[in-house]
Amino acid sequence: MNILIINAGSSSLKYQLMDPQTGVVSAKGLCERIGIDGRLNHKAGDGDKIVRDIPMPTHSEAIAATLEILQDAEVGVIKSVDEIDAVGHRVLHGGMEFFDSCIINDDVIKAIKKCIPLGPLHNPANLMGIEACQAVMPTTPQVAVFDTAFHMTMPPKAYRYAIPTEYYENDSIRRYGFHGTSHKYVAKRTAELVGKKEFKMVNCHLGNGSSMSAVKDGKCQDTTMGLTPLAGVPMGTRSGDIDAAVVQFLCNKYGYSVDECLNILNKKSGMLAISGVSSDFRDLEDGAKNGNEDCALARDKFCYEVAKFVGAYAAALNGIDVLTFTAGVGENDCNVRASVCEYLGFMGVKIDPELNGKRGKEMKISTPDSKVEVWVVPTNEELMIAQDTAELVTAAK
Ligand code: ADP
């Protein structure tokens, strides 16, 4: 089976052609500068990367260029669009409309549009990707996979904000959570790795954007991000949780608009702000090694906050069996993992320094006597999208 995975942003569109059974990616690429001029970056299998300037005034031309290069006699991997069995689209915000991935029809499009106020930057771009695919491949089934859906099993005590109910009832203001496709993949994969379905885990998706989830028997019970991806642990450039009154203080003192203030919290805060050097954890590690105390503080603040949420989620779940690390930092930064686990020593979390010294691999890093199994599980959001898409399309046949 061939699933085309589309991740459409406002001026870019990433694609992968994947076999959902094996996870093998036959081709992948990126259309960038959509609406400006247009450039296609394409790679088939182990082949070289190809860059072509192709005019892309809208997402339609980007999709057309993608389908064309996939069928190209030299660098393509299929002979006809008919070889694409279905398209899986990543959609940022499913609001309270979507609890799972679903086959796209007119009602689904309407519901994704209804969620635009919740995801004003991403949902319109995601819709453009969907509509462009529908236009050029009208008979191929399309599936929407939502970043928020995995978290929709949270109970009200986890998702409700303690603010007047009218904002929840009239405006759908609540905790949603993001990175759901990654959390879902890791939860599913971890169940295979530990060989059971019923267990309690905390997954730490630590990258440039970071979020954590508390998962019981494969179902999300709580997560750190909120109405937007600004909440939770501090991130590369995002503040994570802060007292909301900070916004009022900064706006009053410096004459910022709320939007300007939010821009500071989203783009100029987090690791970048505390270190004064970089949002990249590798730079922070180098800085800390060279004696830069602000870099060391940024890393320690990050590990401290991640560990604090693990503690909170251990209480929420009444204990945990497994702790997992994923995404750029979680998969590669052994010192972040070691520091988080050191904070959790009180819970009987113990990792083997030698095992933890490896990076980027699926592996158990806890010692045999650790009270909690600790795993590194590299995430694969594309595979999750491909599997959800294949499952839905097969069931609908
Ligand atoms: P995004 O949220 O953009 O998807 P990623 O999950 O790709 O982010 O994570 C990106 C971050 O991962 C980078 O900022 C970098 O700090 C970190 N990272 C990547 N590789 C390494 C590595 N080898 N060692 C330490 N940190 C790494």
Side-chain angles (χ1 to χ4, degrees):
M1 213 175 186
N2 278 323
I3 305 291
L4 179 62
I5 302 148
I6 298 288
N7 185 353
S10 54
S11 68
S12 71
L13 185 148
K14 288 190 205 128
Y15 62 88
Q16 282 196 10
L17 193 66
M18 186 190 274
D19 178 336
Q21 268 103 31
T22 60
V24 171
V25 177
S26 50
K28 64 179 175 180
L30 164 74
C31 300
E32 53 184 349
R33 302 178 61 85
I34 301 171
I36 305 165
D37 38 26
R39 180 175 304 147
L40 179 74
N41 305 268
H42 175 82
K43 194 172 176 320
D46 296 329
D48 294 334
K49 187 175 149 188
I50 293 152
V51 181
R52 281 186 193 164
D53 289 329
I54 301 170
M56 296 175 189
T58 70
H59 286 68
S60 290
E61 291 80 12
I63 290 286
T66 299
L67 294 178
E68 204 165 298
I69 201 143
L70 287 172
Q71 298 171 80
D72 187 277
E74 276 172 28
V75 295
V77 289
I78 51 173
K79 290 202 173 62
S80 135
V81 175
D82 297 342
E83 289 175 46
I84 299 173
D85 297 283
V87 185
H89 295 268
R90 181 179 186 186
V91 182
L92 179 85
H93 218 305
M96 283 172 26
E97 306 288 323
F98 296 101
F99 286 63
D100 216 337
S101 306
C102 61
I103 295 187
I104 296 171
N105 57 28
D106 290 348
D107 290 339
V108 169
I109 300 254
K110 263 190 223 149
I112 297 175
K113 282 189 180 150
K114 214 174 137 189
C115 299
I116 287 177
L118 297 169
L121 298 178
H122 293 84
N123 275 34
N126 302 150
L127 276 165
M128 283 192 270
I130 292 170
E131 283 165 354
C133 277
Q134 285 181 323
V136 286
M137 40 203 315
T139 55
T140 309
Q142 318 270 330
V143 167
V145 178
F146 299 91
D147 258 20
T148 49
F150 178 67
H151 305 299
M152 292 309 281
T153 48
M154 284 189 288
K157 65 185 173 192
Y159 72 68
R160 282 290 298 274
Y161 288 139
I163 61 172
T165 301
E166 65 202 79
Y167 303 122
Y168 168 65
E169 287 180 347
N170 300 340
D171 305 304
S172 308
I173 303 293
R174 49 162 279 179
R175 180 188 305 284
Y176 289 98
F178 297 86
H179 292 139
T181 314
S182 171
H183 287 290
K184 182 175 172 180
Y185 172 80
V186 175
K188 205 173 152 193
R189 183 70 194 131
T190 304
E192 288 166 6
L193 292 169
V194 302
K196 50 188 175 188
K197 285 199 171 126
E198 295 185 354
F199 65 100
K200 297 183 273 192
M201 67 178 267
V202 173
N203 181 39
C204 307
H205 175 113
L206 312 179
N208 190 31
S210 295
S211 71
M212 298 166 58
S213 62
V215 181
K216 183 166 183 267
D217 306 341
K219 301 230 176 328
C220 180
Q221 303 299 316
D222 208 340
T223 191
T224 53
M225 284 179 168
L227 175 76
T228 75
L230 178 58
V233 291
M235 311 175 207
T237 63
R238 289 178 228 158
S239 64
D241 289 349
I242 56 160
D243 180 344
V246 168
V247 174
Q248 180 197 34
F249 184 96
L250 294 180
C251 289
N252 286 347
K253 172 131 198 230
Y254 296 103
Y256 299 145
S257 65
V258 172
D259 282 2
E260 281 169 336
C261 197
L262 265 285
N263 194 44
I264 293 171
L265 298 180
N266 269 307
K267 303 210 170 124
K268 297 184 180 165
S269 298
M271 299 299 103
L272 173 65
I274 294 189
S275 69
V277 170
S278 171
S279 61
D280 192 300
F281 280 73
R282 288 164 290 199
D283 299 338
L284 302 184
E285 187 156 40
D286 290 346
K289 273 189 196 145
N290 293 327
N292 183 322
E293 287 179 11
D294 294 333
C295 288
L297 174 64
R299 283 177 67 90
D300 191 26
K301 163 87 179 156
F302 181 76
C303 299
Y304 169 76
E305 296 291 346
V306 170
K308 240 165 71 175
F309 271 111
V310 178
Y313 287 167
L317 296 174
N318 197 8
I320 59 166
D321 307 301
V322 184
L323 176 65
T324 46
F325 289 96
T326 196
V329 176
E331 291 166 26
N332 296 299
D333 198 321
C334 345
N335 293 330
V336 162
R337 291 196 300 258
S339 169
V340 169
C341 290
E342 202 178 318
Y343 277 113
L344 300 170
F346 79 98
M347 283 167 49
V349 170
K350 250 197 234 175
I351 57 169
D352 178 328
E354 203 169 309
L355 296 175
N356 184 46
K358 301 188 180 127
R359 61 173 44 144
K361 273 201 195 143
E362 200 169 76
M363 57 190 173
K364 185 172 165 179
I365 57 170
S366 48
T367 57
D369 64 337
S370 176
K371 291 212 176 91
V372 176
E373 280 188 40
V374 185
W375 285 81
V376 176
V377 182
T379 194
N380 194 339
E381 292 167 86
E382 289 77 18
L383 179 60
M384 197 68 253
I385 294 175
Q387 287 179 348
D388 270 10
T389 303
E391 214 172 278
L392 282 166
V393 169
T394 308
K397 269 187 188 156

